[in-house]
């Protein structure tokens, strides 16, 4: 029964709750029982509040509170602040940190009635593609527990894939929603930059970060995006644009659709099976009447270098505030104030975060600024232009989300460059600020999910949901939870 309940979409759950076929208590109990059965092994949560969630479930009156998420258990990535709840970014430096305020996106899902059952694991400070760098242990992929779930929102993706929650929120700076969603066989959406307020998202790289949903279906991604989107005076980069009702308006019209296929996203470095499966998805759209055209995104090769300069530069500045004074633990032994800062940071940050801070500090340092940061900004402009030119020829772009399916635990964590190459198909969209959705379309010969990515022009979220929905219907993959054994 639990399996069935938690396999349902948000909409189906909402209907069953409204018709009193199920109660919020049953739903939260199902979530707790799945957590207890599976999370010892996959470790998708850093905190899980069983007692409090049950209490909240008892208090929800679904007949009166008709928020679209009333009584539904959801999870948050551990970098989204919730007043009074530990929010650690998967780092020792924020151990026990309880923010005094709540992120705007979190407030939105709370106001919609969601019961937040816990915080999902992540790569430390969202830096990574495998959820192996968390201070709270690594997360395993529910489809094959010897493999990574992707990262950095790997806990959120694994929790949804394991059916512990029907949906979760993540954040995406260079692919951190889409890549783990792809590895874990679930849907992930990165909204247009500014569509969702970043207020209360612990910053990694502020010009790239966006909060977005990880769900089992495209419709659910549309619903959650609609709930968390909107202008917020607390985030000066949030867009002052009306939020359409994405979910209720899903209406795929493939007839006049032109789909761009960029050669740079298919060739070298992309696994053959991944390429075949994603090309099949393109053919499926063609069979429905869409036209496929070749487009060129010639700056793709430079994007990853530009991303790792810009993201680390911003991170080095954003993470300067973690010095043992205002947040988290402080080193016990030190000589003077400067020593206290360095000891606290030396003890509190993990190796990958330190590497990023050093890289970022270096590329911003005088004498190197123009050669690295300045140049990366120029490349960023070219990437934006590349996309603009492509969108003169097509409505949206179809690509694989990741070059390979989920890789083995431990296989890349000691080789940063190989790890960074994971982001080659996702980071360009962050640099250009564009929306992109990933959805599983088929399984490879190892039974692992393989995903397609749709990238659209700025604020084209509705079209992305429409066409992703169509692909979801057309492709062999059926939205489901991973077949975990107790
Ligand atoms: N994997 C990328 C990185 O390590 C992206 C991370 C993210 O999107 N937060 O920077």
């Amino acid at each position: 029964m639990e399996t069935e309940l938690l396999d349902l979409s948000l909409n189906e759950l909402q209907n069953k709750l409204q018709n009193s076929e199920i109660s919020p208590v049953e739903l939260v109990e199902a979530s707790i029982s799945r957590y207890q059965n599976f999370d010892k092994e996959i470790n998708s949560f850093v905190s899980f509040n069983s007692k409090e969630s049950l209490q909240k479930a008892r208090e929800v009156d679904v007949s009166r509170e008709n928020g679209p998420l009333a009584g539904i258990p959801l999870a948050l990535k551990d970098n989204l602040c919730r007043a009074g709840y530990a929010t650690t970014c998967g780092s020792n430096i924020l151990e026990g940190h309880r923010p005094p305020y709540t992120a705007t996106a979190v407030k939105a899902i709370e106001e919609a009635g969601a019961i937040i059952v816990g915080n999902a694991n992540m790569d430390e400070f969202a830096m990574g593609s495998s959820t192996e760098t968390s201070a709270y242990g690594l997360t395993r992929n529910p489809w094959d527990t010897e493999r990574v779930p992707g990262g950095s929102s790997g806990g959120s993706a694994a929790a949804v894939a394991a059916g512990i929650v029907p949906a979760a929120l993540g954040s995406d700076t260079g692919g951190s929603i889409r890549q783990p969603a792809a590895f874990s066989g679930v849907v992930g959406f990165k909204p247009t930059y500014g569509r969702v307020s970043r207020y209360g998202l612990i910053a990694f790289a502020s010009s790239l970060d966006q909060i977005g949903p990880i769900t089992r279906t495209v419709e659910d991604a549309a619903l959650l995006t609609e709930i968390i989107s909107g202008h917020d005076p607390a985030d000066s980069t949030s867009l002052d644009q009306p939020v359409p009702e994405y979910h209720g308006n899903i209406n795929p019209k493939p007839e006049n659709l032109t789909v761009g296929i960029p050669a740079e996203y298919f060739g070298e470095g992309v696994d053959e099976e991944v390429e075949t499966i994603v090309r099949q998805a393109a053919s499926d759209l063609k069979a429905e009447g869409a036209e496929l055209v070749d487009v060129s995104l010639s700056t793709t090769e430079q994007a990853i270098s530009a991303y790792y300069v810009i993201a680390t530069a911003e991170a080095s500045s954003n993470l300067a505030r973690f010095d043992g004074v205002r947040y988290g633990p402080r080193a016990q032994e030190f000589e003077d104030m400067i020593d206290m800062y360095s000891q606290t940071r030396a003890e509190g940050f993990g190796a990958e975060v330190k590497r990023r801070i050093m890289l970022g500090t270096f590329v911003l340092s005088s004498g190197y600024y123009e050669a690295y940061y300045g140049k990366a900004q120029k490349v960023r402009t070219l990437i934006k232009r590349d996309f603009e030119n492509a969108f003169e020829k097509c409505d949206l772009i179809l690509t694989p989300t990741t070059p390979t399916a989920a890789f083995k635990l431990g296989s890349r964590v000691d080789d940063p460059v190989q790890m960074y190459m994971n982001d080659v198909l996702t980071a360009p969209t962050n640099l250009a600020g564009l929306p992109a959705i990933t959805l599983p379309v088929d399984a490879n010969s190892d039974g692992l999910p393989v995903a397609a990515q749709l990238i659209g022009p700025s604020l084209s979220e509705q079209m992305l949901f429409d066409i992703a929905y169509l692909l979801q219907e057309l492709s062999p993959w059926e939205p489901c939870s991973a077949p975990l054994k107790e």
Side-chain angles (χ1 to χ4, degrees):
M1 151 154 180
E2 286 136 39
T3 320
E4 285 168 28
L5 257 191
L6 287 153
D7 276 342
L8 297 177
S9 69
L10 293 176
N11 217 3
E12 288 166 326
L13 287 173
Q14 192 188 7
N15 285 336
K16 286 197 182 296
L17 286 163
Q18 296 292 333
N19 301 335
S20 307
E21 286 172 55
I22 52 168
S23 69
V25 171
E26 277 176 289
L27 202 50
V28 169
E29 276 173 351
S31 173
I32 295 172
S33 130
R34 280 229 150 185
Y35 168 75
Q36 286 169 343
N37 289 335
F38 303 136
D39 216 50
K40 268 195 263 350
E41 179 159 23
I42 64 168
N43 193 35
S44 62
F45 281 90
V46 294
S47 58
F48 196 94
N49 311 316
S50 304
K51 238 171 132 183
E52 186 200 283
S53 304
L54 265 180
Q55 187 52 38
K56 283 197 177 145
R58 282 192 204 101
E59 287 161 11
V60 180
D61 179 353
V62 274
S63 61
R64 279 205 277 141
E65 285 175 49
N66 48 12
L69 301 173
I72 299 181
L74 293 189
L76 297 181
K77 186 175 182 177
D78 196 33
N79 59 357
L80 291 161
C81 293
R82 193 155 59 117
Y85 291 84
T87 307
T88 67
C89 261
S91 183
N92 280 328
I93 211 158
L94 281 176
E95 195 198 333
H97 169 61
R98 290 175 193 275
Y101 61 91
T102 299
T104 304
V106 175
K107 207 179 258 172
I109 62 166
E110 282 186 325
E111 277 166 10
I115 297 176
I116 296 166
V117 291
N119 279 16
N121 202 7
M122 57 183 280
D123 279 302
E124 187 178 2
F125 279 98
M127 297 168 184
S129 307
S130 65
T131 316
E132 292 173 290
T133 70
S134 168
Y136 305 99
L138 55 82
T139 297
R140 291 171 185 272
N141 189 319
W143 292 93
D144 176 348
T145 52
E146 291 308 309
R147 291 178 189 266
V148 304
S152 63
S153 313
S156 299
V160 176
I164 298 171
V165 283
L169 292 186
S171 68
D172 193 312
T173 306
S176 275
I177 288 175
R178 290 162 289 158
Q179 189 257 12
F183 278 12
S184 305
V186 292
V187 174
F189 180 61
K190 182 200 96 68
T192 303
Y193 184 76
R195 178 75 291 190
V196 178
S197 165
R198 290 180 296 108
Y199 179 74
L201 165 67
I202 299 177
F204 165 7
S206 313
S207 78
L208 302 162
D209 297 341
Q210 265 299 279
I211 300 169
I214 295 182
T215 58
R216 221 168 288 119
T217 67
V218 172
E219 308 89 285
D220 285 357
L223 178 65
L224 272 186
T225 304
E226 181 179 316
I227 292 170
I228 61 175
S229 289
H231 182 239
D232 177 11
D235 171 5
S236 61
T237 61
S238 85
L239 295 170
D240 196 359
Q241 298 273 342
V243 181
E245 280 185 29
Y246 302 124
H247 173 259
N249 288 314
I250 292 182
N251 178 20
K253 283 194 234 72
E255 295 82 22
N256 295 319
L257 184 80
T258 312
V259 178
I261 309 288
E264 296 84 353
Y265 280 60
F266 285 85
E268 209 192 315
V270 176
D271 173 75
E272 259 176 51
E273 237 186 322
V274 168
E275 167 153 5
T276 310
I277 288 172
V278 176
R279 286 204 187 272
Q280 183 57 47
S283 307
D284 291 346
L285 287 179
K286 189 173 174 196
E288 292 296 302
E291 189 193 341
L292 306 184
V293 295
D294 290 330
V295 292
S296 169
L297 296 169
S298 59
T299 47
T300 305
E301 215 184 310
Q302 286 79 39
I304 211 70
S305 316
Y307 169 79
Y308 275 94
V309 171
I310 293 169
T312 56
E314 294 185 21
S316 72
S317 154
N318 275 327
L319 270 59
R321 73 192 72 175
F322 303 109
D323 55 11
V325 177
R326 276 168 302 177
Y327 312 92
R330 178 180 296 183
Q332 293 298 309
E333 287 176 30
F334 49 86
E335 282 166 11
D336 51 24
M337 192 178 69
I338 299 292
D339 193 41
M340 187 279 283
Y341 291 156
S342 19
Q343 289 303 330
T344 299
R345 287 166 70 81
E347 289 168 22
F349 289 131
E352 181 60 27
V353 175
K354 285 178 188 158
R355 176 162 32 239
R356 307 273 182 126
I357 293 173
M358 284 190 278
L359 257 172
T361 309
F362 175 73
V363 300
L364 289 176
S365 59
S366 75
Y368 293 102
Y369 185 93
E370 261 316 307
Y372 292 104
Y373 189 73
K375 204 161 201 181
Q377 292 292 9
K378 287 184 185 135
V379 172
R380 185 174 192 171
T381 305
L382 296 178
I383 291 167
K384 276 190 199 149
R385 231 176 262 162
D386 248 5
F387 276 109
E388 278 161 20
N389 291 338
F391 288 128
E392 288 190 358
K393 287 172 71 183
C394 64
D395 300 304
L396 56 81
I397 292 168
L398 174 80
T399 76
T401 310
T402 54
T404 65
F407 49 86
K408 289 260 164 76
L409 284 161
S411 64
R412 300 196 185 178
V413 71
D414 297 324
D415 183 347
V417 173
Q418 226 204 342
M419 189 69 93
Y420 297 172
M421 288 319 284
N422 264 290
D423 311 319
V424 62
L425 309 179
T426 45
T429 18
N430 298 76
L431 289 164
L434 301 175
I437 189 163
T438 178
L439 76 158
V441 285
D442 206 348
N444 72 5
S445 46
D446 292 324
L448 297 169
V450 172
Q453 171 177 237
L454 301 175
I455 306 168
S458 190
L459 291 174
S460 65
E461 352 288 277
Q462 185 70 56
M463 174 182 61
L464 292 181
F465 293 131
D466 288 351
I467 305 305
Y469 175 78
L470 180 66
L471 259 188
Q472 176 178 278
E473 299 288 295
L474 296 172
S475 60
W477 184 276
E478 289 295 325
C480 60
S481 297
L484 279 159
K485 291 190 189 63
E486 283 178 29

